Every structure is written in structure tokens, then in C-alpha cells.
Amino acid sequence: MASVLTVILNWRTADMTLRAAEAARAAMQGISGAITIVDNASGDGSFDRMSRAVQARGWDKGETPVRVLQSGQNGGFGAGNNHGIRAGLQGDFPAGQRPDYVYVLNSDAFPEPGAIRTLLGYLEAHPEAGFAGSYIYGEDGAAHQTAFRFPSVAGEFESHLRLGLVSRLLRHKIVAMPVPQVTARAGWMAGASLMLRQDMLDQIGLFDERFFLYFEETDLMLRGARAGWQAVYLPESRVMHIGSVSTGMRQWQRLPGFWLDSRLHYFTKNHGRSGAIAATLAAALGGGLWRARLLVQTKERGDPPYYLRDMLKHHFRRRFRPLPEAKNAPVRREKA
């Protein structure tokens, strides 16, 4: 029977993380595996509170045991999830087994009873697929856009220009795909509810820990695609997601440095320094033309204050900084 390691990353949302773990336990019924909660050095007592709750509720025993680990540092989304994955591969998984799949679940995401089984069933039936993602919806029931094409220079121009004619001409470069109503291929999918094949991770490595937050799942799935693995969106796997609880994204007044760092690192790593420059200039050109339209049209600007200035200043201030060494090497362990 295929086994699944579910990893839930916590940062100062202990109660909500426990709620996500409870939903995951219900959705894991009948599936061989375990749930690992990783506290990303919250510093607010989250680790102790979750550890006590898991023991008091008896979640550390039974068919799907739950473990709470401390990462020791807040290295971001990728580093925290890597910590949980590595722990599972290095002996933390029940009975010394090796998980066949890793299921990454946000701490503010709550899978419906059949959500995890649907992802697992598809990957078991389709060995060419390395990733399977869920239909994500909000508390109001509205679907979230979580299936995407990979970012590109043309996509940066289109998304910042916001002009219908250009969008139609570049429709295959638009990053955000319409929400699929049937099983569909995607370039990449949001990591709120995502299952990954462990054999693929053995080949391409784990999340690149140089991304603190954002673009890390995009990079991972691009590496998977380049290695020949498919990413598939499954609308039958349904997960409710509150969104931005840990990051506070909804309250951002300006884009934080870590988002700008991640964007620049993604384009530099995957398209070279010249490609990164082209992407930033395309965004600036499209955004500049959009702002010119706003002088004569009454429209919402659609991005935070000083966005273009911050992006340009950030990029060209850091353009000569060498990339640090990656920390995404696969952890290999022979199957039991």
C-alpha cells in the first residue's frame, strides 16, 4: 500500500494548525502514513502548545500518528517543509518506512474527507505525474486561482499592462489559468494543498531554501517539468483555504523585501541574469503604460504603492549579488 507523509508548517498559528491537522487526520483515514507538524521557530509557545495538544488528544498514536517537530529557525516555507520531509526520510516515519508521497498542507487549509485520497489515487494511476494539486476555495465558497503557467518575460509584460488586446495575443503566456473544471495539466500550482511523488524528489531535490517565501513551489515544479514530470490539477480534491494568515499579505501596504528577493531569484536562477533583467524591464514597461492609462481612465491601480519603483530599485541594487549555494539536495534512503 502506498504511504503518505503529510507536512504542515506552523508559524504563530498554533490553534489553526491543529485544526488543519485534525482535518488532515480525517482525510488520511484508510491511508498508510503520518502527519508531521513543523514549528518554524515561532517563538510564541506554539511548539509546546501543539505538542501538549497532540498528546492530550492521543494523536501521537494510532493509524495516522501526528508528530510535532521544531525546525530551530524560521528559514521560510521551503526550509520548514524540507525539515519535515527530511525527518520523514531519516527515520521519523512510522516503523522505519519510506513515504511514497509527500503531501504539503498549509496551516490554514482544511481538506475535505476525500481530498487526499483523490490526489493519491491519481498519482498511483499515473506514474508520469509528479505533482497533484487540489481545488482550493475560500470561506465564502468562491474558488481561488491556484493553477498557473510558468512566469516569463511575455507574461510579466501582459500582467502589468492589463490590456485586453495584448492579453488575447499573449493568452498562452498569462500566468494565472482560469480555474479548471476538469482534471487538467498546469505548469505549477499553489502549495496550499499539494502532493509530491517521493521518487521525483529523489531525482530533482527538495524546495530551494534560498526562497524565503513565494516562488518556491514555482521553482520546484519548473525543475520537475524540466525533468519530465507532469503537474496535474484535480478539481475533485477539495480544500478550504483561509489564506495569508501567517504572511499577513492582505494587509501589505508595500511589497516586502522577501517577495522581491524571491521574484528576482526565480528569474535569475531559471532564466539567467539577462532573462531576469528582461523580465523586470518588461514588467516596468507594461506597468508604466498601465499607469499612463490611469491618467485618463478611472480604474483601480491594482498593485501596492511604489510597486514599480521598489521592484526596479531592488533588482538593480542586487543584480551583481552572487547566488548563495542551494540547500535543496535530495535525501536518499532505500525503501524498506
Side-chain angles (χ1 to χ4, degrees), residues 8-250:
I8 306 174
L9 185 62
N10 174 78
W11 194 74
R12 299 185 177 180
T13 58
D15 293 336
M16 188 165 292
T17 299
L18 290 169
R19 179 182 162 197
E22 185 173 27
R25 287 184 77 248
M28 287 277 287
Q29 286 187 5
I31 299 174
S32 174
I35 298 172
T36 295
I37 299 172
V38 178
D39 182 59
N40 228 11
S42 295
D44 65 346
S46 286
F47 175 73
D48 292 336
R49 196 181 328 155
M50 292 187 298
S51 298
R52 288 194 300 267
V54 165
Q55 289 186 338
R57 300 175 190 184
W59 289 0
D60 54 334
K61 303 176 180 65
E63 180 184 17
T64 309
V66 179
R67 291 164 172 77
V68 183
L69 305 179
Q70 175 56 254
S71 68
Q73 63 176 349
N74 183 11
F77 180 85
N81 279 291
N82 284 355
H83 185 87
I85 296 170
R86 289 189 177 108
L89 294 177
Q90 292 173 343
D92 195 54
F93 204 65
Q97 300 174 28
R98 175 189 186 273
D100 298 295
Y101 302 94
V102 172
Y103 175 59
V104 175
L105 179 68
N106 271 18
S107 62
D108 57 353
F110 314 101
E112 293 186 5
I116 298 176
R117 184 176 297 279
T118 296
L119 301 179
L120 175 60
Y122 186 91
L123 291 177
E124 280 285 273
H126 297 84
E128 71 280 4
F131 305 92
S134 301
Y135 170 89
I136 308 294
Y137 62 93
E139 293 179 285
D140 58 358
H144 292 181
Q145 283 186 311
T146 56
F148 305 94
R149 301 178 182 91
F150 291 115
S152 64
V153 173
E156 288 292 284
F157 179 70
E158 183 280 328
S159 66
H160 288 79
L161 181 61
R162 303 171 175 89
L163 184 63
L165 174 61
V166 173
S167 295
R168 287 191 291 273
L169 291 173
L170 298 177
R171 61 187 179 277
H172 297 302
K173 297 296 184 179
I174 297 174
V175 174
M177 298 168 56
V179 178
Q181 302 302 305
V182 297
T183 299
R185 292 274 302 276
W188 66 280
M189 296 167 290
S193 171
L194 183 68
M195 190 169 288
L196 308 89
R197 187 182 298 274
Q198 183 59 54
D199 284 344
M200 175 192 67
L201 295 178
D202 288 344
Q203 176 186 1
I204 69 172
L206 306 181
F207 289 104
D208 183 344
E209 297 180 15
R210 292 173 292 185
F211 296 99
F212 180 77
L213 198 60
Y214 298 100
F215 289 89
E216 58 278 284
E217 67 262 68
T218 318
D219 171 76
L220 183 68
M221 291 189 215
L222 180 58
R223 282 188 276 134
R226 287 174 171 173
W229 296 96
Q230 295 180 6
V232 182
Y233 178 94
L234 301 173
E236 297 85 3
S237 172
R238 295 173 56 87
V239 175
M240 196 273 279
H241 183 218
I242 297 176
S244 304
V245 174
S246 294
T247 65
M249 184 178 184
R250 294 174 181 173

